[in-house]
Amino acid sequence: MAMPAYLPSPSINSFNVGPLVIHFYALMYLVGITVAVIITRRRWRAVGGNPDLVGDIALWGVPAGIIGGRIYFDITTPMDIPHVWYGVFAIWSGGLGIWGGIILGALVSIWRLRRHGVNVTQFMDAVAPALLVAQGIGRIGNYFNKELFGRPTTLPWGLEIPYQYRVSGGIPAQYLHFATFQPTFLYELIFDFAWAGVLVWLGHHRGIKPPGLFALYVFGYSAYRIFEESLRVDSSVHIFGLRLNMYIATGLAIVGAIWFYRSQRRPAPAEAPVEPPAGAVTDVASDVASDVASDVASPPDEPGGPAEPPEAPTPGHASAAGQDPGDRAEEQTAS
């Protein structure tokens, strides 16, 4: 049987488990998050950190990232919000802006890391490749949703998009009669995995100062998105003929490059533990309590400083306590 000269779209985007409807889009994000946590635990342990900390950061950072991603989507593409009362929350139908997710997720995660007294820049480097892997896995969800595709193409890996999804995707009318399109979700998946591998290699073979790997994550992913945005034709806000995300990707690529350059130009900081030693707070409290107790137990000094030792007796005026026994006997006889 001849193979089709294109990538077919999946016939379903969800399945049922009893009364529950499981959407592949949401499932792929859950898988990506789980894999990212596993990778970060291994990388954080390798630099001397406590891997259990990663779970706490994910518990706060992941929901914040989802909320930030949805807020970004709702603000930048209001025309794509489903026309139901819960439309602004309907993430299962697609619609998470990566920029909003990274910004809010990072802010909340940094807050948690500081609460734990952890070296923030080293944790950022540990998580950078894991974020790319999670994003790449999440793009499989776009495949099931039949979204995130580019211009029409006749390439053998062109993605077949059913007509109703071409219409709902908001592509220009002149492209509606085409059947196959650039699979930009697939391009991003490949790039995400490849760039994650590059970051891991650089971390092992080059003396990258923290947070250099995270800065390269921002630079590399943003630079790739410039290429992707030049291919995409789905709905978007346009400014002076260019997609909004083109401007954001360009700005962040510049920020990432400058951030990396400046982070590597700084002198290497003194070697410091990635986390405060266990019981450090308890030890400090014990030392303070010990000092206070010793101060209370010891007699206070006289005003003006410590007491001076008594003067040595002047010759010829020795005290009775310091006299020779024979001299005392003579004095007693004379009396």
Side-chain angles (χ1 to χ4, degrees):
M1 186 175 69
M3 295 290 292
Y6 56 83
L7 296 176
S9 287
S11 58
I12 61 172
N13 62 5
S14 63
F15 60 93
N16 292 82
V17 177
L20 298 177
V21 179
I22 308 298
H23 293 265
F24 283 106
Y25 183 84
L27 181 62
M28 289 301 101
Y29 269 92
L30 290 176
V31 172
I33 291 167
T34 302
V35 173
V37 168
I38 293 172
I39 293 173
T40 306
R41 283 176 59 91
R42 292 174 60 88
R43 289 176 56 79
W44 189 236
R45 182 190 293 115
V47 296
N50 177 9
D52 293 336
L53 173 71
V54 178
D56 176 84
I57 302 304
L59 189 64
W60 289 84
V62 169
I66 293 173
I67 293 170
R70 187 61 187 186
I71 291 173
Y72 180 90
F73 173 84
D74 290 341
I75 292 175
T76 59
T77 52
M79 72 290 283
D80 292 339
I81 299 174
H83 298 295
V84 290
W85 68 267
Y86 54 83
V88 293
F89 309 109
I91 60 173
W92 52 87
S93 62
L96 289 176
I98 186 64
W99 313 119
I102 291 297
I103 291 172
L104 188 56
L107 289 176
V108 172
S109 297
I110 289 172
W111 166 67
R112 291 301 298 172
L113 289 168
R114 292 192 182 280
R115 286 288 299 271
H116 285 282
V118 170
N119 188 315
V120 174
T121 57
Q122 283 198 313
F123 193 91
M124 293 170 74
D125 276 6
V127 79
L131 288 176
L132 285 164
V133 172
Q135 290 171 217
I137 294 174
R139 288 312 180 200
I140 301 174
N142 298 124
Y143 172 61
F144 281 96
N145 274 2
K146 305 169 191 65
E147 60 189 5
L148 201 65
F149 52 87
R151 288 196 292 259
T153 183
T154 57
L155 291 170
W157 57 83
L159 176 66
E160 178 198 24
I161 299 294
Y163 183 79
Q164 65 268 32
Y165 289 94
R166 297 176 225 162
V167 175
S168 63
I171 69 174
Q174 66 265 29
Y175 296 145
L176 288 175
H177 67 282
F178 289 95
T180 56
F181 298 80
Q182 294 273 8
T184 48
F185 82 90
L186 180 60
Y187 300 159
E188 182 170 334
L189 184 154
I190 294 171
F191 172 82
D192 287 343
F193 287 175
W195 195 241
V198 169
L199 295 187
V200 171
W201 185 88
L202 288 173
H204 285 299
H205 296 88
R206 295 290 184 268
I208 305 294
K209 304 171 190 173
L213 293 181
F214 195 89
L216 286 177
Y217 156 71
V218 173
F219 163 74
Y221 179 74
S222 301
Y224 163 77
R225 280 298 295 264
I226 296 173
F227 161 74
E228 181 178 306
E229 294 298 324
S230 70
L231 293 179
R232 288 175 60 175
V233 294
D234 52 338
S235 61
S236 172
V237 173
H238 286 74
I239 302 175
F240 299 117
L242 294 177
R243 297 167 64 89
L244 172 62
N245 280 340
M246 177 73 79
Y247 293 101
I248 295 176
T250 302
L252 287 177
I254 295 172
V255 169
I258 295 174
W259 187 9
F260 175 75
Y261 174 77
R262 296 193 61 176
S263 70
Q264 303 311 297
R265 293 277 294 177
R266 294 195 188 108
E271 194 68 25
V274 296
E275 296 186 38
V281 176
T282 304
D283 291 344
V284 171
S286 299
D287 292 344
V288 172
S290 177
D291 292 343
V292 171
S294 62
D295 289 343
V296 171
S298 59
D301 295 333
E302 293 293 334
E308 296 181 0
E311 294 183 3
T314 306
H317 297 81
S319 64
Q323 285 181 318
D324 184 76
D327 295 338
R328 290 201 302 272
E330 292 177 359
E331 290 180 2
Q332 291 172 355
T333 303
S335 63

